[in-house]
Amino acid sequence: MKKISLSLSGLLLATTAMIAPGLAAAQTAPAQDPQDDVATVEEIVVLGRFIPEPLRETSEVAAFLTAEDIQRTGDSNAAEALTRVTGLTIVEDRFIYVRGLGERYSSALLNGSPLPSPEPLQRVVPLDLFPSNILGGVTVQKTYSPNYPGEFGGGVIDLRTVKAPNEPFFNFSGGIGYNSETTGRDNLTYYGAQSDWTGFDSGVRDVPGPLAIAFARGRQIGQGNFSDRELQLIGQSLVNAPLRLLQFDESPVNWGLDVEGGFSHDTGMGTIGIIAVAGYSNSWTAREGFQESGLLDGGALEAGTAYEFASGQNDVQLNALTSIAFSTLDHEVRWTNFFVRSTTKEARSREGFNLAFGGEVRQDFTEYFVRQLFSTQLAGEHSFLDGALDVSWRGSYAVSERDAPYETQFGYGRAADGAFIHDIDTNLISFSELNDELYSAGADVSYTLPLSDARDAVFSAGVAWLDNTRDSERRDLSFVAPRGLTDSQVRSRVDFLFSDFNINPNTLVIRESTNAASAPAYEGELTVNAAYVQADVEVIPLVRVSAGVRYEDAEQRVIPIDLLNTGLLFTPTSIEEQYWLPAATLTWNFAEDLQLRLGASQTIGRPQFRELAPQAYTDPETDRRFIGNPYLVDTELTNYDARVEWYFERGQYLTAGIFYKELKNPVEATINEVALLEYQQTFLNAPQATLMGFEIDGKKYFDFPEAGLPFIADKRWLIQANYTFTDSEIQVDAGDRVLTLGGRGIPEPANFYLTDGARLQGQSEHVANLQLGWEDDNARSQATLIVNYVSDRITARGPGLGGNRLPDFIQEPGVFLDLVYRKDFTAMGRDLGLAVEARNLLGTEFDEHQELGNKIRINQYDLGSSLSVSLTARF
């Protein structure tokens, strides 16, 4: 009996002879002695037999998350699930950084189509909006190929929704959750509306009629433009107690419901498949911690403000997905609709010392944010000429909205007797809206040309188009006391002070405090027309080359609007660029189940609308103010990658790779002090930067059938781990110049704002993941211990100029330890599934700080540990 395998020497011989059968080849058996029996082949070892199918189909450095992977880790949304992928980290619980590059350098797609964003500061859609129950899988491609958009730095994330099943099914699940810092404790809140638990406002937060009429007049609300009677009616029209009065209330358990079902039906002409998914979740989060800002005093940092803060937040999310597909043997057409609505209701208060105010102060906040996304896509895939010619197409429309009515802020100062009294000059009520629409379409054609019985060449071409428009508007209002307030008024409850009785020309008068100089409204538009050609050829047996080029003609415009008709002139932005973006990747299957990938490409990164718009915005997460810079330009990137992959068993592997990137004009955030201890974060193009690093990723299963303990012997054990090291460096030479908002487009020395050799913002040196678990098919159970570690990263450049710049703001994400257990069982004739998830078992806290001599706690609070239990019924 002889076992035939393809060794490396055999491979070289096959390559020389140009007759190797490629990825599925085996060597011909050696000649037999005439006296021997005819050789019988016991096993043919196929080269690359353990390489997963997705990686056979792509020549790029990529990672694939399956629905089973997401289920194992129990992650509730796409953002959480992607943190398990090598080199990916999560920021603000919703944005993904790939290899240390911020979300602006990556693109997120849904079934291959781009999406708009409801975020004021980002054009990239936040991935926490995509619940895991709608995902059939996720592709993360880290080397560029021309069939993807040219905005590619760290990678592209393609979310794939679930498809109709072959067999009909219906699942219903419900779950509850507990957090050690929140559940069952008295936390801050405010009443709001009776319908808040549904995620929809009952109309309480609608812009009142008199105020809406005043906004429409296009004049700043105040004396001179409006009569005393009109101002009184506008002020009294604002909802008072339900939206202004902070209260303490016990936070209940988190809970949620999910339902999904689908079926396929053969019509005789083809198969119709339908799937529908819907979900609802209601969760509470409480935070208590510290917010400080630093001043330089004698070579060390001292706290200029030192607040203790507390907040209570209620998040409600609703989502629904439907997909209908019609397919035959060679054709498929799908219509997919996705809707998600996420509302956040937050009450927050902080008190402490503020040097600028000369003593103890308190600030109270109430906020309500609605983020909503709707996407509809029609797509088709068609095969002709016995599979040699493939055609695919897609068209989509998506709209996202963000509505933030009644963002309120009320300030207090400390009286001589120690009580906090109203500081009427610090009250603020804001209304803001954002609407982001995106139309896109694309088509791809590929033709497979056989080169031999085992080798072929695939030639592809395609076109793509998108039109993304954004409208954003913000109006700020405040009350003034023209004759001052009495002692009883400044000591009264906030809803008593702002009652209708006190809103009159003699006590409290409303006025508009919108900063007309910071463009309270803007319109943005990005239009991209693109085309590409690509060839994927097995040039010699076992050596595959994919090369192509993408052409993009793009125009991006941001036009600030003089909403108040002040006559101020704003600087519009218009970036019109054409790019040829080449890319090439070589894949060499040089030994059994071993392959080498080498890649090089040129890509771009565009400034986001909000980064270009000179509109002031306060981030509720950090209480930090942001404003854009209309003088930003595109970032140009050159990317190099190399990775070795070893697939030693089915579903098991070890990979190691290195990467290097050169960035021209990367966008960096910097902080300026606009007043004493009042900071504003803006953006500028650094001259250039480099980023390099390496990645290691492995997955291995173990069986111990001879173990004496049944608990060990009956299970399949898993170890999965990855580690990424990244190093980056901004390069600033003496003659380099930058354009800033404050400099009004006049070139300024770059070293006033940036330090040569500093790390890129958001980049962590070390990112590591570890999963230890087991599967027991007989007991129908699964358990996984999950560890995630991210080292410190720069969240913003320190305030100041040149040599007077303070230290950078640093966040330390730290180590997170989670445990997920799942078990299927049958009860009363019904298949059920139990899931238990324990999160942040180490109690890691959120820590953002500055450090020079002393540590200034920019933002620090406990996250708490969480426990959730869910039960799924399968029908």
Side-chain angles (χ1 to χ4, degrees):
M1 304 286 286
K2 297 184 181 292
K3 180 178 179 180
I4 310 301
S5 65
L6 184 56
S7 64
L8 183 57
S9 60
L11 168 64
L12 296 176
L13 176 63
T15 303
T16 303
M18 296 293 287
I19 59 172
L23 290 175
Q27 285 285 34
T28 305
Q32 302 296 308
D33 188 284
Q35 297 178 353
D36 290 345
D37 294 335
V38 176
T40 302
V41 176
E42 175 186 333
E43 178 183 358
I44 296 178
V45 179
V46 180
L47 194 67
R49 67 193 186 282
F50 293 138
I51 298 175
E53 187 64 29
L55 288 169
R56 290 180 184 272
E57 297 175 356
T58 179
S59 59
E60 309 302 328
V61 174
F64 298 89
L65 277 179
T66 65
E68 290 75 18
D69 295 328
I70 298 171
Q71 185 182 55
R72 170 183 286 280
T73 56
D75 296 308
S76 62
N77 58 61
E80 292 178 359
L82 285 165
T83 61
R84 318 302 178 191
V85 176
T86 311
L88 272 62
T89 58
I90 187 172
V91 177
E92 297 180 14
D93 295 326
R94 56 188 185 270
F95 297 110
I96 292 296
Y97 281 33
V98 182
R99 291 174 167 176
L101 289 173
E103 78 286 344
R104 70 168 59 85
Y105 296 113
S106 300
S107 56
L109 309 174
L110 184 66
N111 296 326
S113 293
L115 292 166
S117 173
E119 293 296 321
L121 291 176
Q122 282 84 13
R123 192 172 67 243
V124 177
V125 64
L127 296 181
D128 66 322
L129 290 178
F130 299 91
S132 56
N133 63 341
I134 71 143
L135 298 176
V138 183
T139 299
V140 180
Q141 187 170 302
K142 298 180 184 178
T143 55
Y144 179 64
S145 57
N147 57 308
Y148 278 121
E151 286 193 77
F152 184 105
V156 62
I157 298 167
D158 195 356
L159 308 173
R160 296 289 175 176
T161 57
V162 291
K163 293 185 177 181
N166 293 324
E167 298 294 331
F169 80 100
F170 179 78
N171 297 334
F172 178 82
S173 63
I176 59 173
Y178 164 88
N179 178 270
S180 60
E181 291 294 316
T182 304
T183 311
R185 300 175 58 174
D186 286 338
N187 298 306
L188 277 177
T189 187
Y190 66 97
Y191 179 78
Q194 192 172 10
S195 62
D196 283 349
W197 69 274
T198 67
F200 290 87
D201 178 65
S202 62
V204 170
R205 297 180 180 88
D206 290 347
V207 178
L211 181 60
I213 294 172
F215 282 162
R217 288 171 66 173
R219 291 187 292 169
Q220 192 160 18
I221 298 172
Q223 293 177 336
N225 290 327
F226 293 82
S227 68
D228 289 345
R229 178 57 180 166
E230 288 174 320
L231 293 176
Q232 183 173 346
L233 288 174
I234 294 169
Q236 291 178 346
S237 71
L238 294 173
V239 177
N240 185 19
L243 304 183
R244 291 174 175 165
L245 183 63
L246 296 187
Q247 301 171 322
F248 281 95
D249 195 14
E250 183 178 294
S251 297
V253 297
N254 303 329
W255 63 284
L257 300 171
D258 290 289
V259 61
E260 57 184 346
F263 68 92
S264 294
H265 176 67
D266 189 356
T267 65
M269 298 178 60
T271 301
I272 295 178
I274 298 176
I275 191 167
V277 179
Y280 167 89
S281 66
N282 197 330
S283 61
W284 284 259
T285 304
R287 295 170 178 169
E288 293 183 2
F290 304 92
Q291 292 179 340
E292 299 175 342
S293 58
L295 288 174
L296 195 60
D297 184 9
L301 284 175
E302 298 292 341
T305 63
Y307 296 111
E308 293 187 31
F309 82 93
S311 71
Q313 179 175 312
N314 180 210
D315 292 289
V316 178
Q317 186 176 93
L318 301 100
N319 66 83
L321 178 137
T322 61
S323 181
I324 302 174
F326 178 78
S327 60
T328 64
L329 184 63
D330 296 321
H331 306 278
E332 182 180 46
V333 176
R334 294 184 308 277
W335 182 30
T336 304
N337 296 280
F338 173 62
F339 170 82
V340 62
R341 179 184 176 91
S342 177
T343 62
T344 297
K345 173 184 175 182
E346 182 178 6
R348 187 169 76 259
S349 181
R350 64 180 186 178
E351 64 178 72
F353 176 77
N354 187 314
L355 181 63
F357 286 91
E360 297 284 324
V361 299
R362 190 182 101 199
Q363 294 173 318
D364 294 343
F365 305 83
T366 63
E367 295 156 336
Y368 185 79
F369 306 103
V370 180
R371 296 181 299 158
Q372 185 169 292
L373 169 66
F374 170 72
S375 170
T376 182
Q377 182 198 59
L378 188 65
E381 297 177 1
H382 310 276
S383 181
F384 304 95
L385 304 179
D386 294 326
L389 178 65
D390 292 314
V391 178
S392 63
W393 54 271
R394 63 202 172 275
S396 73
Y397 167 76
V399 57
S400 65
E401 300 171 358
R402 182 184 186 271
D403 187 18
Y406 282 100
E407 287 184 75
T408 68
Q409 173 184 333
F410 301 100
Y412 304 81
R414 182 81 76 176
D417 61 1
F420 279 115
I421 61 174
H422 289 285
D423 179 0
I424 195 62
D425 293 330
T426 59
N427 76 91
L428 185 68
I429 303 173
S430 301
F431 294 82
S432 62
E433 291 182 337
L434 182 152
N435 188 78
D436 208 351
E437 282 188 298
L438 193 150
Y439 295 86
S440 69
D444 304 273
V445 179
S446 65
Y447 179 75
T448 301
L449 175 68
L451 301 179
S452 70
D453 290 341
R455 295 187 300 117
D456 54 34
V458 180
F459 299 97
S460 305
V463 294
W465 165 82
L466 74 82
D467 184 24
N468 184 194
T469 58
R470 170 176 285 200
D471 298 306
S472 178
E473 180 178 322
R474 180 184 177 91
R475 305 293 288 262
D476 295 327
L477 305 167
S478 59
F479 285 92
V480 297
R483 300 183 181 181
L485 298 176
T486 66
D487 185 67
S488 63
Q489 287 172 336
V490 297
R491 294 176 181 270
S492 65
R493 220 168 66 177
V494 64
D495 55 328
F496 293 165
L497 175 62
F498 292 97
S499 64
D500 289 352
F501 176 79
N502 287 329
I503 298 176
N504 57 67
N506 298 317
T507 310
L508 292 176
V509 179
I510 196 167
R511 70 172 183 183
E512 185 163 4
S513 52
T514 301
N515 186 351
S518 68
Y522 71 88
E523 295 177 352
E525 183 176 8
L526 171 65
T527 303
V528 180
N529 297 292
Y532 76 91
V533 291
Q534 184 176 0
D536 191 346
V537 183
E538 191 172 352
V539 291
I540 60 175
L542 312 179
V543 177
R544 177 181 179 186
V545 174
S546 176
V549 64
R550 184 181 185 90
Y551 173 76
E552 287 198 353
D553 182 355
E555 180 179 0
Q556 184 171 7
R557 298 184 300 115
V558 173
I559 303 174
I561 298 173
D562 182 11
L563 196 65
L564 305 178
N565 294 308
T566 61
L568 293 174
L569 297 177
F570 296 101
T571 302
T573 299
S574 180
I575 303 174
E576 298 184 41
E577 297 285 359
Q578 295 79 39
Y579 293 101
W580 292 94
L581 304 173
T585 306
L586 179 146
T587 303
W588 179 24
N589 196 177
F590 62 90
E592 186 176 317
D593 295 311
L594 274 164
Q595 60 186 17
L596 170 69
R597 298 184 191 270
L598 302 173
S601 62
Q602 291 182 338
T603 56
I604 58 170
R606 296 186 177 94
Q608 303 182 64
F609 289 135
R610 190 62 189 81
E611 294 171 343
L612 291 166
Q615 182 189 72
Y617 164 76
T618 300
D619 180 11
E621 290 286 329
T622 61
D623 287 326
R624 194 176 300 153
R625 289 182 68 81
F626 290 79
I627 194 166
N629 176 6
Y631 306 106
L632 296 178
V633 298
D634 293 348
T635 302
E636 300 179 28
L637 301 95
T638 303
N639 314 283
Y640 303 97
D641 282 87
R643 187 166 80 169
V644 177
E645 303 168 355
W646 179 28
Y647 301 93
F648 47 85
E649 294 287 346
R650 191 167 304 281
Q652 303 176 61
Y653 55 83
L654 179 65
T655 69
I658 58 176
F659 54 89
Y660 178 83
K661 297 178 182 291
E662 297 176 351
L663 295 85
K664 180 182 178 183
N665 300 319
V667 175
E668 287 285 290
T670 185
I671 292 181
N672 300 321
E673 189 172 18
V674 295
L676 180 61
L677 297 172
E678 184 179 339
Y679 299 120
Q680 181 171 268
Q681 184 164 322
T682 186
F683 309 91
L684 54 79
N685 288 109
Q688 54 189 352
T690 58
L691 181 141
M692 64 186 72
F694 66 87
E695 301 174 333
I696 300 175
D697 186 12
K699 183 178 182 179
K700 173 65 178 173
Y701 287 103
F702 297 89
D703 294 294
F704 304 97
E706 304 302 326
L709 296 175
F711 180 81
I712 296 176
D714 294 343
K715 294 175 175 57
R716 189 186 193 201
W717 297 83
L718 166 71
I719 296 180
Q720 184 171 352
N722 60 63
Y723 169 76
T724 303
F725 171 80
T726 309
D727 184 39
S728 64
E729 184 177 286
I730 293 177
Q731 297 165 354
V732 182
D733 296 330
D736 288 332
R737 297 290 185 265
V738 294
L739 304 178
T740 68
L741 176 66
R744 299 184 180 276
I746 299 174
E748 300 175 82
N751 55 19
F752 276 16
Y753 300 92
L754 302 164
T755 302
D756 183 51
R759 277 189 294 165
L760 284 168
Q761 178 195 349
Q763 177 253 310
S764 296
E765 284 191 343
H766 309 283
V767 178
N769 290 282
L770 174 65
Q771 295 183 38
L772 303 173
W774 50 258
E775 299 173 355
D776 189 331
D777 292 337
N778 293 326
R780 301 165 66 189
S781 62
Q782 181 188 80
T784 311
L785 187 71
I786 306 165
V787 183
N788 174 254
Y789 169 70
V790 179
S791 65
D792 64 82
R793 58 192 173 210
I794 297 171
T795 55
R797 302 295 173 196
L801 291 176
N804 297 319
R805 183 166 293 278
L806 297 183
D808 292 335
F809 290 13
I810 303 294
Q811 183 194 351
E812 294 185 3
V815 180
F816 285 83
L817 176 65
D818 303 334
L819 177 64
V820 178
Y821 173 76
R822 296 183 178 277
K823 181 174 177 58
D824 291 343
F825 59 97
T826 302
M828 296 180 291
R830 181 72 59 200
D831 284 336
L832 303 175
L834 173 70
V836 180
E837 302 173 14
R839 304 288 182 182
N840 195 20
L841 294 174
L842 300 178
T844 301
E845 65 179 15
F846 183 92
D847 181 7
E848 183 184 19
H849 63 269
Q850 282 178 295
E851 196 162 3
L852 182 62
N854 298 311
K855 183 176 180 179
I856 301 299
R857 296 170 294 188
I858 302 297
N859 206 9
Q860 186 181 86
Y861 52 86
D862 290 330
L863 296 169
S865 300
S866 300
L867 177 68
S868 63
V869 180
S870 64
L871 186 66
T872 301
R874 303 182 178 96
F875 296 87

